[in-house]
Structures are given as structure tokens and as C-alpha cells.
Amino acid sequence: MAGRTLFQKVVILGYGKVTGEVLQYVYDRQMEYGYELVFVEHEVHAFGTTEKICGDHGIPFHRITDRKELIEFLDRIAEKTLIISASNNFLFPASLVEKAHITIINFHNALLPGYPGRNAPTWVIYKGEKTTGITWHYVTAGVDEGNIIVQKEFRITEDMKAYELAQCLMDLAAEAFRESFADILAECVRTREQGFDPDRHMYRSSEVPADGILDLTESPAEIYRLLRSVDYGKNAIFPPLQTTIDDRSAEILRYRKISRDKCEEGEGLLYLPLGDDAALKIKYRFKNV
């Protein structure tokens, strides 16, 4: 028996791991529901799998990095269409959102209405939150303001880095999407309003925790939290943190939590106590003057 939906087309827009999982799942359900499936890559991701998935399954793949061209592409859609924004930073214009035949859903890597905008894993770590989560919501003209489809919570561990948290949230988002997809297609989701403060802070991509300055007068625990909050591994989302050592400007190269008995003297090394048995090892280099 075929699944129930009036959507004739599904367009997926995004990059990264969660987008690949969503794309694969939507493809797997295509025969059941009979919709046309299209994928659009707006932001090129070095470790993305979506182009390969599209190639393996014959899914139309479009790489449209220009915002104006993407808006024009989406404006040409005439069929009743579901647009899935999965791990995507493109802001949909009101002219598209308000079209009666277009429905847009979006994945956000925090528990809305808290931490709207960019780099939410960074901010929940930096602010010392114990839990966070993911939200799938309908898209409106306002950023991260639409009604909530589904949310799932996640506990932040004491040593978790931003890239580790982001990975866990992507896995959680894919799980929540699979659980909600049938109701989304059937347009029978029991949504709830966010109930947000209109003056809530909207985090922007240009914002960096502590303005990118590591203050060595702060407690080691606060310093460690700042370091973890901007740590995206090989994806250099933020520039290196800056600090001052012996009245000289320096930048942080890397850090690591170690046991105290492994502290060794060396050039460009700094050790801070983290509890009774641990230390925070920081590698830095002085900047050229």
C-alpha cells in the first residue's frame, strides 16, 4: 500500500553527515510515496557524501552556490513541494516561504527557542549547559521561529568538544527525522509554538565566544570550557584563540586534558590544574611583532 502524501516533489538542501542520512532515507521511501526527489548543494562540504549518494541512485544533483541563483531555482518550482533544509545556512526569503504550494522544514542543532542562529553547539558548551538537543521545525519568514515538529534532548559530557557534540546531534537529528517523516508527508504533525521572547539573542556566524580571547586570569575550568566550545577539529570554523603570556601576544595551537603526572617542561607549553589529578595542557606560540 502506498504511503499517503499530496507532495509531488521533495527537495533536499544541505551539507554534511545528517544531510546524507536524510537524503538516503528520503530516497528509500520514494517508491512508497511516489514523489520526485531532487538534491541541491548550496554550501560545498569537504567531507560530504551527498553527491555520491545522488550518483549511486540517479538522484538529480544541483550545485548552486550563488544565493540569487538558488532563489531563482526554487522560485521556479510549480508542484506541491516539501523542501527539507538539513544542516543548511541558507535563509529562505519570505517570498518563497509564503507560497501556498511550498512547505519548508529545517533542522536546528539546539532546543529551540533557545540558542537560535549559528554554531549552537559552541554556545551551549561555552555557557556551561548540561543538556542540549535538536529541533525539526517548520520554516517561517523569521529565522528559527517556526512551529516545532519534533525535539530530542542530549546530555553534554564534561569533556565534550564542539565537533563531538555536533556529530552526536546530527545522529539524533537523523533519528528524529526518520520518526517524523511519515507525518510530515501526510501533513498531520502535531506541532507546537516556540513561545520565544522576540528580543532573544540570535547568534551570528561572526560571533566568537569571549571575543576569541583566552584570559589566563579565568579559572582553569572556564578556560577549558572556552577551548572545547570552539574546537571543531579539522573544520576551522573559528580562528585560533588569542592570549597574552609574559606581556607578549600569543595564539593557542592546541590543548589537551592529561593526568598531572604526564606534565613535561617544554617550549610553548602551559599547564593549568583541572581537579586533583588532571591538568590542562596548552600549546601556544608567540606572534611575530
Side-chain angles (χ1 to χ4, degrees):
M1 181 178 177
R4 184 168 69 88
T5 188
L6 295 178
F7 288 108
Q8 299 166 276
K9 177 181 287 188
V10 176
V11 177
I12 299 175
L13 180 66
Y15 64 90
K17 185 176 186 296
V18 65
T19 306
E21 293 196 24
V22 166
L23 175 61
Q24 183 65 56
Y25 186 76
V26 175
Y27 170 77
D28 290 341
R29 305 299 297 274
Q30 185 177 12
M31 290 292 293
E32 178 182 353
Y33 286 95
Y35 46 71
E36 177 188 355
L37 176 58
V38 175
F39 180 79
V40 177
E41 182 182 71
H42 178 55
E43 297 168 88
V44 180
H45 193 272
F47 307 105
T49 61
T50 51
E51 187 171 9
K52 183 178 187 304
I53 293 172
C54 289
D56 289 345
H57 299 306
I59 302 168
F61 177 91
H62 302 271
R63 179 173 287 122
I64 309 174
T65 58
D66 181 80
R67 174 177 170 78
K68 183 179 178 181
E69 289 182 13
L70 178 55
I71 292 173
E72 291 173 351
F73 176 87
L74 297 175
D75 272 339
R76 288 194 295 269
I77 295 174
E79 308 95 326
K80 181 176 175 60
T81 298
L82 173 66
I83 298 177
I84 302 170
S85 170
S87 193
N88 166 56
N89 297 314
F90 173 75
L91 297 180
F92 296 92
S95 59
L96 180 69
V97 172
E98 294 167 358
K99 289 188 175 184
H101 66 287
I102 299 290
T103 298
I104 308 173
I105 66 171
N106 179 64
F107 155 58
H108 185 72
N109 52 1
L111 293 171
L112 293 173
Y115 297 97
R118 298 289 295 273
N119 302 322
T122 285
W123 295 105
V124 296
I125 292 175
Y126 179 64
K127 299 287 187 179
E129 301 285 4
K130 302 300 181 184
T131 59
T132 185
I134 64 93
T135 304
W136 281 96
H137 66 95
Y138 285 104
V139 172
T140 61
V143 178
D144 292 336
E145 292 183 0
N147 284 4
I148 292 169
I149 298 168
V150 62
Q151 291 185 313
K152 283 182 177 286
E153 289 192 4
F154 185 82
R155 187 175 68 86
I156 304 171
T157 61
E158 64 178 11
D159 295 316
M160 185 164 275
K161 303 170 180 64
Y163 74 86
E164 295 171 330
L165 177 56
Q167 180 68 49
C168 292
L169 293 178
M170 285 190 285
D171 291 339
L172 200 61
E175 177 185 302
F177 177 81
R178 291 190 292 268
E179 293 173 359
S180 307
F181 187 55
D183 285 348
I184 293 168
L185 287 180
E187 300 180 274
C188 64
V189 176
R190 292 187 175 182
T191 64
R192 60 184 176 87
E193 294 183 0
Q194 291 191 36
F196 57 85
D197 182 342
D199 294 324
R200 65 179 176 167
H201 182 73
M202 183 67 62
Y203 292 93
R204 302 185 181 279
S205 59
S206 58
E207 291 182 78
V208 183
D211 294 324
I213 304 299
L214 190 150
D215 184 351
L216 291 173
T217 67
E218 300 281 0
S219 71
E222 291 173 314
I223 291 172
Y224 185 39
R225 194 165 65 241
L226 172 59
L227 287 164
R228 292 185 292 111
S229 76
V230 298
D231 185 356
Y232 282 89
K234 294 179 180 179
N235 292 321
I237 292 178
F238 297 105
L241 292 174
Q242 308 298 303
T243 191
T244 301
I245 299 174
D246 297 331
D247 295 323
R248 296 176 63 186
S249 296
E251 66 178 20
I252 304 303
L253 299 177
R254 54 187 176 273
Y255 70 99
R256 185 180 174 191
K257 183 180 179 180
I258 62 173
S259 59
R260 289 202 183 189
D261 59 4
K262 292 186 178 179
C263 294
E264 300 176 350
E265 294 296 327
E267 184 177 352
L269 292 177
L270 182 66
Y271 295 94
L272 302 175
L274 273 179
D276 295 333
D277 302 316
L280 178 59
K281 179 181 179 180
I282 299 175
K283 176 69 175 177
Y284 66 89
R285 69 181 172 196
F286 289 116
K287 298 173 68 175
N288 294 327
V289 179

